[in-house]
Amino acid sequence: MSTNGAANNPVQAIDSIAFRRAELESERLRIFAVLGAVAIFILVILLRVFVTRTISAATTPWAWQLALAAAIAVYESFMMRRVNVALQAGHSLPAWFWILSTILETSIPAFAIVFLTTQNIEPAYRPLASPSILIFFLFIILFTLRLNPWICALSGAVAGVTYLAAAYHLGWRPPVPGIPAPVTQTNVVMNAVILLTGGLIAAAVARQIRSHVEAALREAETKRKLEAVEHDLQVARSIQQSLLPKERPQISGFDIAGWNQPADDTGGDYFDWKTQADGKLVVSLADVTGHGIGPALVAAICHAYARSSFGMEHNLMEAFEHINKALSADLQTGRFVTFVAAVCLPDSPDLHLLSAGHGPLFIYSRLEDRFIDVQPQAVPFGILPFFRSDPPTQLRLGAGDLVLLPTDGFFEWENDQGEQFGVERMEKTIRASKDLTPPEIIAHLYDAVIKFSNGTKQQDDLTAVLIKRL
């Protein structure tokens, strides 16, 4: 718990390790300043006594002044030790320590006024003529480094009270209302008011300094947390990317490629392929609602369920039912996954296609130079606890035919005019690049979308799998 109270409550503590360290470091700076002032004071006294000889030992108790300065130096050194120990231990100093040290240090000038002022000045004028009154302001100013407005206000109050007590000891008496008072009476009161006002002004300055320190610490903490989150996202991205296939599938009669680029560090899309025991190749693609770390986790779960389901001797309908049942138990309300899978048979033009809410799909017939419309056969995963679907679509592909399974990040990408790339441009781009290899077709499609966007930021994940019949 911090020893200093919050700016608006002397009891409330700031639960911040960084702030506790900052106030201790600031206290170290204050002590260094006091020690520096004491060193300068001692040097000036010695110069005036032994070099310029402007101080007479008979009229000025310079030896006692040096003794007081030495005592202050010893006390501040003790304070420095306490602060250093607290810094090394990582804890703060108790509240009573700050309050007691404030009262003690602020009272020092009053003792100097009473006992160390030159005897050549009349006692009634000593509270006004003693240079020691300036030391009050030195301590009040330096107490702003304790970053606590209440400490500064306390120092001003203690300075005013102890100054009046010193003046009273020297013979000053408060003026009586209605009776003319000499200057020694009225000016002493004015000096006490100025000391109290100085403490209040220092409190306002300390409040402002404290707010800047707290803001800087919050900014540093926020930056640290953002860096940690960014690091975690980079790790998550590398893990997610590691789940994607490293090699293109090898199946006789087909050329297949996949590609993925999330909108954020992580995304909710993925593609995969898996060769079954009978030689069939299952190519799949999923799109989780949204993008970012949440959908990325769902995509990883879906990937695991799909791998498990397609690894068994399930047909497409049974595999989809198994995936939907597993996902429905995990997904929160309002989140779902669109999913599409295609089964390719080696050396066969037949391809089976089943979509759970994923579309549009682009099936291009090279012979007929047209796109075949295939609608999803079922709703997305996670919407219903049970899976109902029409039978998979059976396609017979000819040489050069294309099956593109994309996510909606392609055709829903808007340009700077708010216009989407759209399905028609997708088909036009695919038709124009039909003679290229699958990786080249996907690259050509991405370049077309980027050119169309005219510099707008990618808002959704991009994933595509292209199957080409050889």
Side-chain angles (χ1 to χ4, degrees):
M1 179 176 292
S2 173
T3 56
N4 276 359
N8 60 348
N9 187 345
V11 180
Q12 179 183 358
I14 295 179
D15 187 17
S16 168
I17 296 176
F19 185 84
R20 290 198 296 268
R21 184 170 186 85
E23 68 178 2
L24 289 174
E25 292 285 358
S26 186
E27 175 65 6
R28 284 185 56 180
L29 179 61
R30 188 196 71 84
I31 294 173
F32 277 127
V34 173
L35 290 174
V38 169
I40 293 174
F41 176 77
I42 292 175
L43 179 62
V44 170
I45 293 295
L46 294 177
L47 288 175
R48 294 182 65 186
V49 172
F50 298 107
V51 179
T52 63
R53 300 184 182 278
T54 54
I55 292 181
S56 172
T59 58
T60 303
W62 60 270
W64 289 105
Q65 291 177 352
L66 290 178
L68 178 61
I72 295 174
V74 171
Y75 170 77
E76 294 295 344
S77 299
F78 166 76
M79 288 283 293
M80 178 69 77
R81 177 176 175 79
R82 289 293 303 271
V83 171
N84 288 335
V85 170
L87 279 170
Q88 293 175 1
H91 60 73
S92 56
L93 297 172
W96 64 263
F97 179 86
W98 299 98
I99 296 173
L100 184 61
S101 64
T102 300
I103 295 174
L104 180 60
E105 292 185 34
T106 313
S107 304
I108 291 174
F111 287 97
I113 291 174
V114 173
F115 299 109
L116 302 181
T117 305
T118 177
Q119 303 297 318
N120 293 336
I121 303 175
E122 290 293 330
Y125 286 93
R126 289 178 191 175
L128 302 175
S130 175
S132 298
I133 192 174
L134 300 177
I135 303 177
F136 280 119
F137 293 101
L138 174 65
F139 282 111
I140 291 173
I141 292 171
L142 291 179
F143 278 133
T144 59
L145 292 176
R146 284 189 166 174
L147 308 179
N148 191 326
W150 296 97
I151 289 293
C152 294
L154 175 63
S155 69
V158 172
V161 171
T162 56
Y163 174 72
L164 290 176
Y168 190 88
H169 179 80
L170 294 172
W172 168 85
R173 295 296 180 266
V176 179
I179 300 178
V183 68
T184 56
Q185 286 183 303
T186 56
N187 283 3
V188 165
V189 175
M190 181 59 66
N191 285 349
V193 172
I194 292 174
L195 290 173
L196 177 60
T197 304
L200 296 177
I201 294 175
V205 174
R207 182 189 295 272
Q208 191 68 19
I209 296 174
R210 181 190 185 96
S211 66
H212 287 308
V213 171
E214 290 175 337
L217 291 175
R218 283 194 295 269
E219 182 178 355
E221 181 68 11
T222 301
K223 182 179 179 180
R224 184 191 66 80
K225 290 181 178 179
L226 287 176
E227 290 175 349
V229 170
E230 183 177 354
H231 175 266
D232 291 342
L233 287 176
Q234 291 297 328
V235 172
R237 176 182 175 85
S238 64
I239 293 174
Q240 187 179 36
Q241 291 295 311
S242 68
L243 297 177
L244 299 178
K246 301 296 187 299
E247 303 288 341
R248 293 170 58 190
Q250 302 298 320
I251 180 171
S252 179
F254 295 92
D255 190 7
I256 302 173
W259 178 81
N260 168 264
Q261 179 172 286
D264 296 326
D265 288 314
T266 57
D269 294 356
Y270 84 87
F271 67 90
D272 194 20
W273 38 70
K274 184 174 181 62
T275 302
Q276 296 182 319
D278 58 2
K280 295 179 182 178
L281 178 71
V282 181
V283 178
S284 59
L285 180 142
D287 184 0
V288 182
T289 52
H291 52 86
I293 189 65
L297 294 174
V298 175
I301 295 173
C302 182
H303 177 274
Y305 289 149
R307 275 259 161 176
S308 174
S309 299
F310 291 133
M312 302 176 184
E313 294 300 327
H314 290 317
N315 57 38
L316 279 181
M317 294 284 285
E318 292 173 341
F320 273 47
E321 182 177 0
H322 184 268
I323 299 171
N324 180 75
K325 182 178 179 180
L327 279 177
S328 296
D330 296 334
L331 294 181
Q332 297 178 346
T333 303
R335 192 177 292 280
F336 57 88
V337 181
T338 63
F339 193 91
V340 60
V343 178
C344 303
L345 287 71
D347 296 318
S348 172
D350 295 332
L351 183 143
H352 295 178
L353 192 66
L354 184 60
S355 170
H358 194 90
L361 308 176
F362 298 86
I363 293 89
Y364 174 72
S365 173
R366 183 183 182 91
L367 180 63
E368 301 177 7
D369 191 26
R370 70 181 183 90
F371 285 87
I372 302 171
D373 182 34
V374 175
Q375 296 296 322
Q377 293 88 354
V379 298
F381 292 151
I383 293 181
L384 299 175
F386 52 86
F387 182 75
R388 290 181 180 176
S389 173
D390 293 333
T393 298
Q394 298 186 14
L395 300 173
R396 181 169 288 269
L397 303 180
D401 288 356
L402 304 174
V403 176
L404 175 65
L405 312 178
T407 56
D408 53 12
F410 282 96
F411 46 83
E412 291 184 356
W413 195 327
E414 295 183 354
N415 60 14
D416 53 351
Q417 303 299 318
E419 182 183 5
Q420 292 186 348
F421 187 71
V423 173
E424 292 185 3
R425 290 187 180 87
M426 289 279 291
E427 293 179 346
K428 182 179 179 181
T429 304
I430 295 170
R431 180 181 281 110
S433 58
K434 61 181 181 293
D435 293 328
L436 302 177
T437 64
E440 293 171 337
I441 295 175
I442 295 175
H444 184 70
L445 177 61
Y446 176 70
D447 291 340
V449 173
I450 289 296
K451 182 177 180 180
F452 169 82
S453 70
N454 200 25
T456 59
K457 184 180 178 181
Q458 179 183 340
Q459 299 295 328
D460 201 359
D461 304 324
L462 300 177
T463 306
V465 173
L466 194 137
I467 303 172
K468 185 173 186 178
R469 176 64 181 168
L470 299 178

